Amino acid sequence: MTLATETDAEGVEPAQRGPSGSWLNRNVLGMGLTSLLSDAGHEMATAVMAGFLAVLGAPVYALGVIEGVSDALSSFVKLWAGWWSDRIGHRKAITTFGYALTGGAFALFAVATAWPLVLVGRMVAWFGRGIRGPLRDALLAESVSPSDRGKAFGFHRAGDTVGAIVGPLSAATLMFVLQPYATSDPSVPFRIIFLVTLVPGLGAAAAFALMVREQRRPANHGMKFWASVRALPRQFRRFLVGVGVFGAGDFSHTLLILAATQLLTPGHGPVRAAQIAALLYALRNVLYTAASYPVGALSDRIGRRGLLVGGYALAAAVMVGFLFAFAVEASSILLLAVLFSLAGVFIAVEDALEGVLTADLVPDESNRGTAYGVMGTVNGVGDFISSVVVGALWSFSPEAGFAYAAAAMLLGAVLLHRLR
């Protein structure tokens, strides 16, 4: 098949591919910049959210509820948004709206006096995230040739996580600079940070609108939702089983920040512990960034399933490491740095390869938005289950929460290994 034929079949403008069909084209660059800015905004808020909840006097389970409910909402929105974009034949406008919604939502945290309003702000943000996620991934898959998908998704995840490094580092810096304002009201530095997130958050929506191009397909108003879901290939559905089981243990990494804060507070105090935890989260994102492109590029050469199985197994090992840290009441910053670093590696493998395998297993572009929506829903339901279960177990024993997570992740790796 010639390059021109491939381009026509994929419904992508030649200009999107760049010179000589290069995978590093305007769309890939635009989506990478968009995700960098978006993640800088919401990771800035995420890095200090646990500390803000503590200042508000919220119960421990509140963080698990906030993460779990928000992830569940996001997951169901993904399912609808992916299918709807297939039905109407275009994705860009809806994706831009999703980025704008996420970019503005964290400002609600700035006026919160109790944790329920934090829940509302997180739900609005994750509603926007649910809208944009599957549509952006479908656009990304359609912007490059199949043989370059690993590199494109890896590059995108790297850009995504550069923002996830900038966000926590900015939050930690602002916490230090604004610390004098905490004398009379310790919540003031947190509230200022939440307002600052508006700048990169809304900038992300502008970058996507200006840089990303899309060739629309004819609308298919006769497309039925359940018929589209049933039309997904059998191998893809089997793949989702392993992803879903793993996801049932893959809780939000905001809880890792909480874990570090709890372990470090006895020796460093709550404010200093929150600062160190934010820096550890930034370290996790550094490794996430460093590993994303190499993992994607390597998958283009040697295959993706085995790499993803290895990533799932590494995740289980990290959970065992945190279990050990709580069991012996370890307050070692070095140990936590190793665990956060390994967490960054397994998230890079997971995020890059699950998206690429979805495109590989669902070659029909007219149904690919639905496929990414289903994938997002499976992950979101898993996030909801894991965040709520781990949060509930944490109330009794952090060790029990990490033991559950490790078991679910390992079972997911086994199921994926059996997939052929």
Side-chain angles (χ1 to χ4, degrees):
M1 182 181 292
T2 65
L3 179 60
T5 305
E6 286 181 355
T7 303
D8 292 340
E10 292 175 15
V12 180
E13 294 178 1
Q16 293 176 338
R17 292 284 178 84
S20 305
S22 169
W23 65 270
L24 191 58
N25 53 58
R26 176 178 177 144
N27 271 13
V28 174
L29 288 170
M31 283 183 255
L33 176 60
T34 298
S35 288
L36 187 157
L37 292 170
S38 180
D39 263 47
H42 78 69
E43 292 285 8
M44 190 186 302
T46 297
V48 298
M49 186 169 66
F52 182 59
L53 290 171
V55 167
L56 293 181
V60 173
Y61 67 80
L63 185 57
V65 171
I66 290 169
E67 294 292 348
V69 172
S70 301
D71 286 336
L73 174 63
S74 177
S75 70
F76 291 114
V77 172
K78 286 176 182 178
L79 185 59
W80 170 83
W83 167 76
W84 184 254
S85 73
D86 286 337
R87 190 173 190 266
I88 64 177
H90 62 90
R91 318 186 199 276
K92 178 180 174 179
I94 305 173
T95 309
T96 303
F97 172 71
Y99 274 110
L101 201 58
T102 302
F106 290 107
L108 282 175
F109 291 12
V111 296
T113 56
W115 72 268
L117 188 55
V118 177
L119 170 62
V120 171
R122 187 73 161 187
M123 288 174 65
V124 173
W126 259 226
F127 180 84
R129 193 178 190 185
I131 290 173
R132 80 191 195 218
L135 279 63
R136 179 206 60 220
D137 286 348
L139 281 168
L140 184 59
E142 292 161 8
S143 297
V144 296
S145 65
S147 63
D148 290 325
R149 281 179 186 145
K151 290 188 283 291
F153 273 81
F155 176 85
H156 174 264
R157 295 298 183 255
D160 188 88
T161 47
V162 167
I165 294 167
V166 172
L169 287 176
S170 298
T173 302
L174 286 171
M175 283 292 291
F176 177 78
V177 171
L178 298 170
Q179 196 164 357
Y181 295 95
T183 304
S184 57
D185 183 355
S187 72
V188 169
F190 296 96
R191 298 182 191 280
I192 294 174
I193 289 170
F194 296 140
L195 290 174
V196 171
T197 65
L198 287 169
V199 177
L202 297 180
F208 194 90
L210 294 172
M211 294 188 67
V212 176
R213 295 175 176 174
E214 175 190 21
Q215 181 177 353
R216 299 189 177 193
R217 297 182 302 277
N220 183 4
H221 295 300
M223 175 179 275
K224 304 299 182 184
F225 176 75
W226 287 114
S228 299
V229 174
R230 287 194 297 269
L232 294 171
R234 179 172 176 269
Q235 283 294 89
F236 177 64
R237 284 178 278 161
R238 291 185 60 196
F239 169 61
L240 291 176
V241 174
V243 171
V245 172
F246 174 84
D250 188 21
F251 55 85
S252 169
H253 282 203
T254 309
L255 290 173
L256 294 185
I257 300 174
L258 177 62
T261 302
Q262 288 185 346
L263 288 167
L264 294 170
T265 293
H268 298 274
V271 175
R272 180 66 173 164
Q275 291 174 331
I276 297 172
L279 291 173
L280 288 169
Y281 190 64
L283 175 64
R284 171 255 196 199
N285 291 336
V286 169
L287 271 295
Y288 182 5
T289 303
S292 291
Y293 176 76
V295 165
L298 185 62
S299 76
D300 286 336
R301 295 176 61 86
I302 68 172
R304 318 194 200 280
R305 184 185 59 87
L307 284 175
L308 187 55
V309 169
Y312 281 7
L314 177 61
V318 170
M319 297 306 110
V320 172
F322 274 100
L323 188 160
F324 169 79
F326 273 98
V328 301
E329 299 181 354
S331 59
S332 167
I333 295 176
L334 177 60
L335 173 62
L336 290 173
V338 171
L339 292 175
F340 272 81
S341 297
L342 294 177
V345 174
F346 87 69
I347 283 291
V349 175
E350 176 188 349
D351 281 1
L353 299 190
E354 284 181 355
V356 185
L357 276 164
T358 296
D360 291 346
L361 294 170
V362 185
D364 181 5
E365 289 185 5
S366 67
N367 204 30
R368 193 172 285 158
T370 301
Y372 277 110
V374 172
M375 165 65 75
T377 299
V378 169
N379 272 323
V381 170
D383 289 344
F384 174 74
I385 293 171
S386 59
S387 294
V388 171
V389 172
V390 172
L393 290 173
W394 199 306
S395 300
F396 299 99
S397 166
E399 295 95 319
F402 284 112
Y404 160 79
M409 289 172 163
L410 187 59
L411 180 56
V414 171
L415 292 172
L416 184 61
H417 178 69
R418 292 170 61 87
L419 176 69
R420 293 292 184 272

